[in-house]
Amino acid sequence: PRSTLFPYTTLFRSRLMLFSGRANPQLAIDIADKLGVDLGPVTLKTFSSGEVYCRYEESIRGADVFIVQSICGNRHTGITANDSLMELLFMIDAAVGASAHRVIAVTPWFGYSRQDKKSAPREPISARLVARMLESAGADRVLTMDLHAGQIQGFFQKPVDHMTALFMLTQYFTDLGLEDLVVVAPDAGRVKLNKNFASKVGAELAILDKERPAQQVAEIGYVIGDVKDKTAVIVDDMIDTAGTLSAAAKTVLEEGAARVYAAATHAVFSGNAFENLERSGFEEIVVTDTIAIAPNRPPNIRVLPCAELLTDSIR
């Protein structure tokens, strides 16, 4: 009998516990609902000094602890991107100290991912440092979505599950049934993403010539490809201030496009993003809810839920 051969072997399955930081609590609620579990009780607050505090309100000993926390700000809960990062680190450390079996950081939006290389001398590689911080805090695994550069996975020694919203976004545009569709890459660095997008929706591909004279400033030169009298979809991994996107839409419309849409996984929407998008001429801007979006967003922003995709990965 196995009990004779392996008298000291015990097979068990760790219980799953799901907790949320303050960056995107609604996403965590949606994931918990689809998993059929309750969100674990945790106290999170920021002291008047600006320091972040956390404490799990029940035992997590021996559990597989999943912490849902995009590294971004949330105006409603009053935290910044840096608060989110520190909160995530403290939640991981607290879980390790409370004898969790495994700790998995669910960070759909991996903050600082744009700083994945040195663009000028004496700059940090901030994305690499964030990866090291998560591992040093004690994360056993990281679950994320559509990294700004897939090579960021190489910054980790621990396993990284890299999900993509590409299928959600392409299915949405397929269901719209748009005719004479052309997918437009906002710059050369997004050609591969846009080529995959175009292949899945059965569209042609065009490319915008873009230059960045300064950070968060974009200048669009011209369109490589035919967009005249067509419906253009500009695809990117994220939208921040929407400066690039607005300039791209203007150029595409000037080149004769009949209509223009936008699609992106991450809706950072910082600075004057809403104002830029309102006057950009987009029929619709389609994003996912990896980042909490303010309710006063323009009416042409369409948000697709990504909880189902993340829930499947957690399962």
Side-chain angles (χ1 to χ4, degrees):
R2 290 183 63 85
S3 58
T4 302
L5 295 174
F6 307 101
Y8 303 110
T9 299
T10 302
L11 301 179
F12 67 94
R13 181 178 180 181
S14 299
R15 59 186 174 133
L16 181 153
M17 299 187 73
L18 187 73
F19 295 89
S20 173
R22 290 178 291 171
N24 195 348
Q26 185 58 51
L27 177 59
I29 291 170
D30 294 341
I31 293 172
D33 183 60
K34 292 182 182 300
L35 284 172
V37 301
D38 295 325
L39 276 179
V42 57
T43 297
L44 300 166
K45 58 185 176 182
T46 303
F47 294 121
S48 58
S49 63
E51 295 181 356
V52 174
Y53 171 83
C54 87
R55 179 179 184 270
Y56 294 99
E57 297 297 337
E58 66 181 27
S59 174
I60 57 175
R61 182 180 296 274
D64 282 343
V65 173
F66 290 81
I67 303 169
V68 181
Q69 177 83 320
S70 286
I71 304 174
C72 62
N74 186 321
R75 295 177 185 176
H76 181 69
T77 57
I79 64 171
T80 66
N82 290 333
D83 290 334
S84 295
L85 174 58
M86 294 307 298
E87 188 170 271
L88 176 58
L89 293 172
F90 293 154
M91 292 180 76
I92 294 170
D93 182 73
V96 172
S99 301
H101 178 239
R102 286 193 308 161
V103 183
I104 298 90
V106 182
T107 58
W109 164 242
F110 187 79
Y112 289 93
S113 61
R114 284 172 288 179
Q115 300 182 49
D116 61 326
K117 61 183 179 299
K118 285 190 176 184
S119 301
R122 299 174 296 282
E123 284 185 349
I125 303 177
S126 303
R128 181 178 62 186
L129 179 58
V130 171
R132 290 175 176 174
M133 292 165 71
L134 293 176
E135 291 184 331
S136 295
D140 294 293
R141 199 177 195 98
V142 173
L143 172 59
T144 188
M145 282 183 65
D146 285 326
L147 290 167
H148 188 64
Q151 296 88 332
I152 291 175
Q153 296 173 82
F155 294 160
F156 289 88
Q157 298 297 317
K158 301 291 185 178
V160 176
D161 294 290
H162 187 203
M163 311 308 295
T164 180
L166 178 66
F167 304 104
M168 294 168 47
L169 294 169
T170 53
Q171 186 61 53
Y172 178 81
F173 279 95
T174 299
D175 292 343
L176 286 181
L178 301 173
E179 297 181 354
D180 295 324
L181 199 62
V182 58
V183 176
V184 182
D187 55 50
R190 291 288 165 261
V191 169
K192 184 176 181 180
L193 168 64
N194 281 260
K195 188 175 182 179
N196 290 339
F197 196 101
S199 175
K200 293 187 181 301
V201 298
E204 298 178 6
L205 178 68
I207 306 169
L208 290 171
D209 176 63
K210 183 181 80 172
E211 292 185 2
R212 277 202 183 276
Q215 291 176 336
Q216 293 190 314
V217 177
E219 293 180 354
I220 306 296
Y222 52 89
V223 180
I224 304 171
D226 181 22
V227 297
K228 188 174 178 58
D229 298 326
K230 295 185 178 181
T231 300
V233 182
I234 303 172
V235 183
D236 211 338
D237 65 311
M238 55 155 292
I239 304 171
D240 189 358
T241 62
T244 297
L245 205 58
S246 297
K250 180 181 177 181
T251 301
V252 169
L253 289 170
E254 288 175 350
E255 292 288 328
R259 293 187 295 172
V260 59
Y261 289 76
T265 301
H266 308 293
V268 180
F269 292 159
S270 68
N272 297 323
F274 287 168
E275 292 82 353
N276 290 335
L277 291 174
E278 278 185 316
R279 58 173 181 259
S280 60
F282 282 107
E283 294 276 329
E284 201 169 49
I285 301 105
V286 185
V287 296
T288 75
D289 59 352
T290 57
I291 297 172
I293 305 174
N296 63 332
R297 59 182 180 264
N300 60 342
I301 294 178
R302 165 75 170 172
V303 183
L304 304 182
C306 63
E308 188 72 46
L309 177 62
L310 295 170
T311 301
D312 290 343
S313 301
I314 291 172
R315 282 202 185 104

